[in-house]
């Protein structure tokens, strides 16, 4: 069995993980040979109950598990219906945008209308990989924006090397009331644009990386009332665990980094982020 990172010191105020992939962590999606982090996470033989218990032990009391294709969206919706303190997001990831047929999108919308599903995502644009054409990605992104607006659910955005186009699509289509930039990857200027638009920015493990000063500058710009925190587990672990499997129980490391950047006590930032969670995803 793979040994996961040791648990950090617990937070003294509760907070939640706004974005993780429980299905990958527990092996519901078989990791490919090119996905060593997911392989390691699955080798640890985690269970949903174990993941939740470990998170709660350090003050991470709730989480949102996110879909990236139809199979994962169905699985996450089912788990959210079964587990207290878990919500789900459903969508077709931009890397899989070629699979976003009218029939698949209709099923995503059906899932999005379930009470335990509180987000449409992750959707958006990914110009780092060319697994789906830009044309397919834009069409899928626009369709998901409309689903979010019709269902009244938050829109969770995957934005990789596509900041300007993501903002343009949101402007052209008319953004839903609640928009979250998952694992925010922009700089301070991008953060200012999000602030002006009222978009939430969710910060993950990379904000702790030595070479990611631009992310800390963005976090400094982001007002507490527009901030969220996430793991993207099993990916993007905070230091000192870079390269190892991530999990919701490692949120305290990212939270303490963000609190230092903001110059506030971690408890205050936890309180703000928890309140933002209710604004974005609704009452738990």
């Amino acid at each position: 069995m793979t040994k996961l990172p040791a648990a950090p010191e617990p937070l003294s105020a509760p907070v939640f993980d706004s974005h993780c992939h429980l299905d990958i962590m527990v092996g519901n999606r078989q990791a490919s040979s090119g996905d060593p982090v997911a392989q390691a996470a699955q080798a640890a033989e985690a269970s949903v109950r174990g993941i939740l218990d470990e998170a709660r032990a350090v003050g991470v009391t709730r989480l949102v598990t996110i879909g990236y294709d139809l199979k994962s969206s169905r699985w996450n919706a089912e788990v959210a219906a079964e587990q207290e303190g878990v919500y789900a997001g459903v969508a077709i990831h931009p890397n899989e945008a070629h699979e976003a047929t009218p029939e698949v999108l209709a099923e995503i919308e059906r899932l999005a209308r379930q009470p335990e599903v509180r987000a449409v995502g992750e959707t958006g644009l990914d110009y780092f990989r060319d697994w789906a054409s830009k044309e397919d990605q834009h069409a899928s992104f626009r369709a998901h924006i409309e689903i979010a607006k019709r269902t009244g659910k938050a829109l969770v955005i995957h934005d990789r090397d596509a900041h300007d186009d993501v903002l343009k699509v949101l402007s052209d289509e008319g953004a839903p009331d609640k928009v979250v930039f998952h694992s925010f990857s922009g700089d301070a200027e991008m953060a200012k644009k999000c602030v002006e638009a009222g978009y939430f920015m969710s910060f993950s493990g990379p904000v702790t990386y030595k070479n990611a000063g631009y992310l800390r500058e963005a976090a400094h710009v982001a007002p507490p009332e527009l901030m969220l925190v996430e793991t993207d587990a099993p990916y993007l672990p905070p230091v000192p665990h870079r390269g190892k499997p991530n999990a919701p129980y490692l949120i305290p490391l990212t939270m303490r980094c963000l609190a230092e950047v903001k110059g506030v006590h971690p408890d205050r930032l936890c309180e703000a982020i928890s309140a933002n969670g209710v604004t974005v995803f609704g009452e738990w």
Side-chain angles (χ1 to χ4, degrees):
M1 181 182 294
T2 297
K3 187 175 182 180
L4 295 177
E9 180 183 349
L11 294 165
S12 53
V15 77
F16 78 107
D17 184 350
S18 74
H19 191 117
C20 67
H21 300 284
L22 283 177
D23 64 313
I24 301 177
M25 296 174 70
V26 303
N28 185 62
R29 188 194 81 175
Q30 188 62 39
S32 67
S33 59
D35 194 356
V37 171
Q39 284 185 319
Q42 292 173 11
E45 299 179 4
S47 66
V48 172
R49 175 50 54 191
I51 291 167
L52 292 171
D53 288 346
E54 289 175 340
R56 288 166 179 156
V58 297
V60 182
T61 57
R62 301 177 175 91
L63 57 84
V64 184
T65 183
I66 299 291
Y68 46 85
D69 61 15
L70 187 54
K71 180 180 178 182
S72 68
S73 293
R74 285 172 171 158
W75 189 93
N76 284 310
E78 290 175 3
V79 168
E82 296 167 355
Q83 299 287 345
E84 183 179 357
V86 178
Y87 282 152
V90 297
I92 307 302
H93 192 285
N95 289 335
E96 311 297 330
H98 51 281
E99 297 183 359
T101 64
E103 294 77 15
V104 167
L105 290 169
E107 177 65 5
I108 290 295
E109 181 163 350
R110 186 192 71 79
L111 291 169
R113 294 185 181 279
Q114 296 183 8
E116 298 83 9
V117 175
R118 299 298 178 92
V120 174
E122 60 187 282
T123 181
L125 302 174
D126 188 324
Y127 292 172
F128 179 78
R129 293 192 174 97
D130 60 358
W131 297 357
S133 70
K134 288 186 179 181
E135 182 181 11
D136 284 346
Q137 289 190 48
H138 278 251
S140 177
F141 186 23
R142 292 175 189 274
H144 281 84
I145 290 172
E146 294 307 312
I147 292 172
K149 289 194 285 190
R150 286 196 296 268
T151 59
K153 303 298 172 73
L155 182 74
V156 174
I157 293 176
H158 173 103
D159 166 24
R160 192 167 188 186
D161 294 351
H163 305 323
D164 290 344
D165 280 3
V166 167
L167 291 173
K168 185 177 186 305
V169 171
L170 287 170
S171 177
D172 290 347
E173 292 295 309
D177 291 338
K178 297 165 289 187
V179 173
V180 178
F181 275 76
H182 132 68
S183 193
F184 186 80
S185 59
D187 58 12
E189 288 304 311
M190 177 65 177
K192 290 175 184 176
K193 292 176 182 178
C194 289
V195 173
E196 290 171 2
Y199 301 152
F200 288 84
M201 290 159 276
S202 184
F203 292 90
S204 57
V207 76
T208 70
Y209 297 172
K210 183 178 180 180
N211 64 347
Y214 69 98
L215 287 178
R216 290 184 287 278
E217 291 171 2
H220 182 73
V221 168
E225 61 269 20
L226 288 177
M227 293 179 71
L228 295 172
V229 66
E230 65 171 90
T231 57
D232 198 25
Y235 307 107
L236 305 181
V239 294
H241 304 300
R242 194 170 181 178
K244 299 178 182 178
N246 201 2
Y249 74 89
L250 294 179
I251 281 276
L253 297 171
T254 305
M255 275 300 311
R256 292 189 174 104
C257 174
L258 289 171
E260 183 177 354
V261 168
K262 301 299 291 181
V264 300
H265 193 280
D267 286 4
R268 286 186 58 195
L269 194 55
C270 285
E271 290 166 3
I273 286 175
S274 294
N276 295 342
V278 173
T279 300
V280 175
F281 301 110
E283 296 286 348
W284 293 88

